[in-house]
Amino acid sequence: MDHSHSDAFATQEGRWAQLAEERLSLFRHDEEIARGLAFGLPGSPTLVDRTIPTFSRGELPHFAGERGTFLNCPYLEDVNAVADAEVAVFGAPLDSGATYRPGARFGPQGIRRSTNLFGTYCYELGVDLREQLNMVDIGDVFTIPGNLEKSFDQISQAISHVYARGVFPVVLGGDHSIGYPTIRGIAPHVDGDIGIIHFDRHVDTQETDLDERMHTTPWFHATNLANAPATNLVQVGIGGWQSPRAGVKVGRERGTTVITVGDVERVGIEKVAEVALETAWKGAKAVYLSFDIDVIDAGFVPGTGWPEPGGLLPREALNLVRRVAAPGLAGIEVVECAPPYDWAEQTALLSSRVVLDALAVLVREGLLGRRAAATDRHAWGPRVSP
């Protein structure tokens, strides 16, 4: 599409989006209808709409036909074949690092289920992921309840497998202890430094908590890696009454950048995004986005391990995600969604929106959406060139 990064935030966004939709393909949409009729049987003779099958085999209806994948994208059972995809979504169902409320091990399941509500097309971004992005869901990492270190090893191995094959990883947490093994899994494959943009109400930079590497400690250990310097860690949304002083001391001594919710109010979203990008990308070859859902005000996200009032508004959070994603990302994780406490799926819905909005911006900016599936399988995204 012919546009610049600023177009999507211009005053004429509505008109731009109307025109952008016209240029989107319907190939994968039509293919899905054909698959549904072939595999789900044609609908009963009383139906006027002959695109409706007897058994649901696609996006519609949103209340039925759940396949259990993120956004009902294709499931790739054989992870050895992941290189045929451009984006791989997988879960890290771990909450052994939670120090207050457990339940985030059910986060991947809850986030996937929440995406049944959504279609694949985003109006204001002018993107249709089904048509433009070769995305697959590869299931969940086999974590070991009660053993953080073995689970960390599993998560590092999983994301390393995906990233080393040139596939963009999307990780559905899980508590925030997974931030350390995800960075550890990517680091060996980056020829240079990694920047980290971390959305959270809590600093998560202390060395240990309750004598272990818990969900309050990932960035102490991640920034001990040789190519993940603390000076490239920027933390957005920090504040409230649960940022242990031991972690604050580490951030001060290591030179991390902390941006509070008050800072967002004072200088605005555009300036905060500018500072975050400048800090994370300074001398770095790649930037990773780690989004703790509790950065959003607890009134909007009750289903989390440590809710904190006074956080970002959903609109602020999603606009910031869109802006920091625009120059490119090495991967995304969204963590601390705990469905057992999640009234009306609010937390899961916002968790999935973080991922969807980031992916849509990466597609809109031409950073994703370029790799077609080469093998004969159920696929999304661009077609193989003839």
Side-chain angles (χ1 to χ4, degrees):
M1 284 177 203
D2 296 326
H3 60 76
S4 67
H5 171 53
S6 61
D7 284 339
F9 300 97
T11 56
Q12 296 300 316
E13 181 180 75
R15 180 58 178 160
W16 176 88
Q18 287 179 322
L19 298 173
E21 187 277 332
E22 187 178 21
R23 295 192 289 268
L24 293 173
S25 166
L26 283 170
F27 171 75
R28 295 299 185 185
H29 169 268
D30 295 342
E31 182 183 67
E32 183 175 284
I33 290 173
R35 286 176 58 85
L37 294 172
F39 298 156
L41 307 179
S44 70
T46 56
L47 297 184
V48 175
D49 185 349
R50 303 313 300 166
T51 67
I52 297 176
T54 298
F55 291 91
S56 174
R57 288 293 181 269
E59 176 188 341
L60 299 175
H62 291 287
F63 54 82
E66 180 180 355
R67 290 183 291 193
T69 63
F70 184 82
L71 204 60
N72 276 322
C73 75
Y75 174 61
L76 189 67
E77 184 175 16
D78 185 359
V79 296
N80 293 293
V82 74
D84 191 49
E86 188 173 23
V87 172
V89 180
F90 64 93
L94 178 70
D95 60 12
S96 300
T99 56
Y100 184 45
R101 299 199 304 197
R105 72 179 61 184
F106 302 109
Q109 184 181 67
I111 294 169
R112 287 186 177 104
R113 185 181 301 115
S114 76
T115 61
N116 286 341
L117 178 69
F118 300 126
T120 61
Y121 163 65
C122 178
Y123 177 77
E124 66 266 35
L125 293 177
V127 168
D128 190 324
L129 295 182
R130 177 171 50 202
E131 303 296 330
Q132 297 174 275
L133 188 61
N134 178 9
M135 178 169 68
V136 296
D137 191 320
I138 58 173
D140 289 348
V141 176
F142 195 132
T143 56
I144 315 298
N147 193 313
L148 279 169
E149 298 303 322
K150 288 182 179 179
S151 295
F152 288 172
D153 292 343
Q154 288 279 89
I155 293 166
S156 290
Q157 183 164 291
I159 198 168
S160 177
H161 176 82
V162 170
Y163 194 83
R165 283 152 183 80
V167 179
F168 185 90
V170 174
V171 188
L172 311 178
D175 69 53
H176 216 161
S177 66
I178 73 168
Y180 165 56
T182 52
I183 297 296
R184 185 178 65 176
I186 287 175
H189 308 292
V190 177
D191 183 23
D193 287 344
I194 303 171
I196 302 167
I197 297 179
H198 165 221
F199 285 84
D200 207 326
R201 288 292 277 155
H202 315 110
V203 292
D204 292 353
T205 46
Q206 61 201 79
E207 183 174 5
T208 61
D209 193 350
L210 307 180
D211 208 40
E212 296 287 345
R213 297 201 276 196
M214 308 293 273
H215 67 164
T216 49
T217 72
W219 309 125
F220 179 94
H221 302 287
T223 57
N224 274 343
L225 298 169
N227 62 335
T231 50
N232 286 94
L233 169 63
V234 57
Q235 303 179 283
V236 181
I238 306 301
W241 290 84
Q242 186 48 41
S243 288
R245 292 179 63 182
V248 175
K249 179 182 178 183
V250 168
R252 181 172 62 247
E253 291 175 346
R254 293 188 175 186
T256 64
T257 297
V258 175
I259 299 172
T260 68
V261 173
D263 290 331
V264 176
E265 289 181 322
R266 276 186 291 275
V267 304
I269 290 170
E270 189 170 345
K271 182 62 177 179
V272 166
E274 180 185 326
V275 171
L277 289 169
E278 181 181 353
T279 303
W281 277 104
K282 188 173 183 179
K285 289 293 184 68
V287 167
Y288 186 79
L289 174 60
S290 181
F291 194 100
D292 187 328
I293 200 64
D294 70 29
V295 73
I296 297 174
D297 185 273
F300 298 97
V301 290
T304 187
W306 210 302
E308 180 71 51
L312 296 173
L313 298 175
R315 185 168 57 213
E316 293 173 328
L318 294 175
N319 279 336
L320 281 166
V321 165
R322 291 178 179 190
R323 289 177 180 273
V324 301
L329 295 169
I332 304 166
E333 67 188 20
V334 59
V335 300
E336 296 288 349
C337 176
Y341 316 101
D342 196 13
W343 162 247
E345 295 185 292
Q346 292 178 103
T347 313
L349 286 167
L350 279 168
S351 297
S352 57
R353 275 293 305 271
V354 168
V355 174
L356 292 170
D357 283 32
L359 290 177
V361 167
L362 291 168
V363 169
R364 189 199 65 196
E365 297 298 320
L367 300 168
L368 288 177
R370 297 175 295 184
R371 184 190 303 174
T375 60
D376 184 19
R377 63 174 177 86
H378 178 206
W380 277 12
R383 289 174 279 182
V384 178
S385 300

